[in-house]
Amino acid sequence: MNTEILGVIAMFVIMVLLAIPLGRYIGKVYNGDKTWLDFIFNPIDKLFFKAGGINPEKEMTWQQSMVALLVINLVWFLLSMFVLMNMSWLPLNPDGNPSMTADLAYNTTVSFVSNTNLQHYSGESGVSYLGQLLLMLFQFVSAGTGMAACAVVFKAMKEKSTQTLGNFYNYFIKSCTRILLPLSIIVAIILMFNGTPMTFKGKAQFTSMQGDTVNVSRGPAAAMIAIKQVGTNGGGYFGANSSHPFENPNYFTNMVENICIILIPIALIFALGYILKRKRFAWIVFGVMTLGFLLLVIPSIYNEMHGNTAITQMGILQSHGSMEGKEVRFGPAASAYWGISTTVTSNGSVNAMHDSFTPLTGMFAMLGMMINSFYGGVGVGFLNFYIFIIIAVFISGLMVGRTPEFMGKKIEAREMKIASIIALLHPFLILVGTAIASHLYAHDPTAYAGWLNNPGNHGFSEMLYEFTSASANNGSEFGGLGNSTPFWNIAPGTVMLLARFLPIIGPVAIAGILAKKKYVPESAGTLKTDTSTFGIMVFAVIFIVAALSFFPALALGPISEFFGMR
């Protein structure tokens, strides 16, 4: 078998084998059970609780949890705007990087607070060390808030009837200290030993063989790269992200970083099984997500390994596959695998230029973000999937003529209205944003000529990808889009805000409403949610509601480009 394929299989298998025990550990953390790391982290947690005046034992309603989430994010938003717009005179700026404009600071702040990490700047030259450290902090807290919201939903699903759903701050602090921090330390150490810099010194200089003086950016990179992968953040320290040899020095680090992208999203599924004591249900959820993932990744790897037809028509051999925009040290298979891994989650880091993917691989990357629930981001991936579960249960109940029930709770009109709004919000934000951008460009292509180097089908794909990435809180992009403008800073920035917090509030609200309802014991007529039949139903709902909503747009972009090349 091709060694590239063996490398991909090894990454997936190792990831699942690590996710199972990690999921059990996360389940214990959220359940309040004893773990073998308590003697280390109990004092750290108590320090944060004392500093914040938090009583971790105080129960909160779902409304209180969401108010807490929004308030702390507002504080981080204001802090980030101040730092990014004043970096030039603030400390830790040995290279003299300039401050950001208001619109770029808004886009960057929203991007990192929302766990998106869409970067309209080059990391090593666009942000000071203080700015990088602040953004690194946001990569912890944004991931932690998503995981805490997910823990609230787990609590709601576990309890038979309750008004309160644990303590949001308790879940948040423990997500950061007991899960994200130790994993990030391990990954950072691995990266450092493989050549990733970790220093506060300014640019290094060396003289090339031609006699030129070359300035090489460095800084506290290893720490930021570790949390960018572990927390499905994706924001790179360097502009080239994980295709940069300092961020991703070799194939081993490529495997480590790629495994980290999906590790916690999968582990949270197994944590759900531990908390609910429904391991079969967790495996059904994992199976549906994995089926969707494989349907995207397998044809993507095939396409990239078989080259680009347009290059073949030029008489150029492609014995190693489509290598345009890819690093030789990774190859097409590992690049395509990373491309789908990073887009089915809300990671968005890249080890190859997505703009150079063959058209259908680019489409599969977009589909991963459009569906936004095959693994997904840390915490929020399951929240998105939860919406499809609610819709699938409701439709299944109607099909058999019974009141829909999920985990012993009746699903009624109020919950379905919320689920429907959240399910339709994602395509609404993507398609409306792309339509506005397309209208502006088509109305006056001369004025907006800087937006697109490829004004045809691929240019449309670049704009579609940008709004898809923003709405999925992903952060990757087709690099050919000229996005360093107020429109591309403000419009996707606003989409990131709406697409981050409404899809968190909606599922938590549904879970909180259901938690208050009277528990109905299972009977012979109860819809079983831990069967392959129900898994197929959920997959069908995802396909119909999510995938087909975007088919017309995809037909105008990557599908037309694919047939145009042939």
Side-chain angles (χ1 to χ4, degrees), residues 60-70 152 165-168:
M60 301 171 71
T61 64
W62 74 264
Q63 295 96 328
Q64 291 171 327
S65 294
M66 291 300 94
V67 169
L69 182 148
L70 293 174
V152 171
L165 302 173
N167 186 288
F168 174 82

Side-chain angles (χ1 to χ4, degrees), residues 412-461:
E412 297 172 305
R414 188 180 180 187
E415 298 85 75
M416 275 306 300
K417 288 177 182 177
I418 298 173
S420 299
I421 290 171
I422 299 302
L424 295 175
L425 175 69
H426 188 51
F428 175 81
L429 292 174
I430 294 171
L431 299 177
V432 169
T434 306
I436 293 172
S438 300
H439 170 74
L440 289 174
Y441 181 84
H443 182 69
D444 193 350
T446 303
Y448 298 99
W451 284 12
L452 303 176
N453 292 321
N454 303 283
N457 299 118
H458 191 75
F460 177 81
S461 295

Side-chain angles (χ1 to χ4, degrees), residues 220-473:
M224 183 172 180
I225 296 161
I227 184 57
K228 95 171 185 185
Q229 301 301 74
V230 170
T232 62
N233 295 284
Y237 188 92
F238 299 96
N241 209 279
S242 285
S243 61
H244 195 291
F246 281 180
E247 284 211 20
N248 194 2
N250 51 53
Y251 197 89
F252 174 67
T253 60
N254 187 75
M255 290 184 69
V256 171
E257 291 187 34
N258 206 328
I259 289 169
C260 288
I261 291 175
I262 312 183
L263 181 59
I264 294 181
I266 292 181
L268 281 168
I269 303 304
F270 295 118
L272 172 67
Y274 176 85
I275 292 171
L276 301 184
K277 295 182 173 19
R278 291 174 177 258
K279 293 183 180 180
R280 183 177 173 84
F281 174 68
W283 278 102
I284 290 296
V285 173
F286 171 72
V288 173
M289 291 183 173
T290 301
L291 174 62
F293 173 70
L294 293 177
L295 288 175
L296 296 175
V297 77
I298 291 174
S300 296
I301 293 174
Y302 176 87
N303 286 331
E304 297 309 305
M305 291 189 70
H306 283 77
N308 188 315
T309 56
I311 295 178
T312 301
Q313 291 168 7
M314 296 168 63
I316 300 174
L317 296 177
Q318 299 180 81
S319 56
H320 296 291
S322 177
M323 287 301 296
E324 181 192 355
K326 298 180 179 65
E327 284 293 305
V328 175
R329 63 187 189 276
F330 305 140
S335 299
Y337 181 76
W338 183 302
I340 300 302
S341 298
T342 197
T343 48
V344 297
T345 63
S346 65
N347 185 271
S349 65
V350 298
N351 73 345
M353 179 63 72
H354 285 202
D355 209 21
S356 296
F357 279 153
T358 54
L360 293 187
T361 302
M363 181 188 73
F364 292 131
M366 280 192 271
L367 266 176
M369 295 183 288
M370 289 167 173
I371 295 170
N372 204 25
S373 58
F374 293 153
Y375 303 141
V378 288
V380 294
F382 178 76
L383 296 185
N384 293 331
F385 195 86
Y386 182 72
I387 291 295
F388 290 117
I389 289 176
I390 296 299
I391 295 174
V393 169
F394 185 79
I395 294 174
S396 300
L398 294 179
M399 290 173 66
V400 298
R402 283 180 56 88
T403 301
E405 296 174 10
F406 179 60
M407 298 291 177
K409 306 297 176 67
K410 294 185 181 298
I411 297 175
E412 297 172 305
R414 188 180 180 187
E415 298 85 75
M416 275 306 300
K417 288 177 182 177
I418 298 173
S420 299
I421 290 171
I422 299 302
L424 295 175
L425 175 69
H426 188 51
F428 175 81
L429 292 174
I430 294 171
L431 299 177
V432 169
T434 306
I436 293 172
S438 300
H439 170 74
L440 289 174
Y441 181 84
H443 182 69
D444 193 350
T446 303
Y448 298 99
W451 284 12
L452 303 176
N453 292 321
N454 303 283
N457 299 118
H458 191 75
F460 177 81
S461 295
E462 289 175 343
M463 295 190 291
L464 177 63
Y465 195 107
E466 184 80 1
F467 280 103
T468 302
S469 179
S471 186
N473 294 139

Side-chain angles (χ1 to χ4, degrees), residues 124-167:
E124 63 267 45
S125 60
V127 185
S128 67
Y129 288 175
L130 177 63
Q132 296 278 31
L133 291 173
L134 179 72
L135 298 178
M136 189 193 309
L137 168 65
F138 291 160
Q139 290 182 319
F140 276 97
V141 296
S142 64
T145 54
M147 295 174 70
C150 187
V152 171
V153 173
F154 287 176
K155 172 77 170 177
M157 295 171 66
K158 176 185 176 183
E159 300 296 331
K160 290 187 175 180
S161 184
T162 182
Q163 296 279 341
T164 57
L165 302 173
N167 186 288

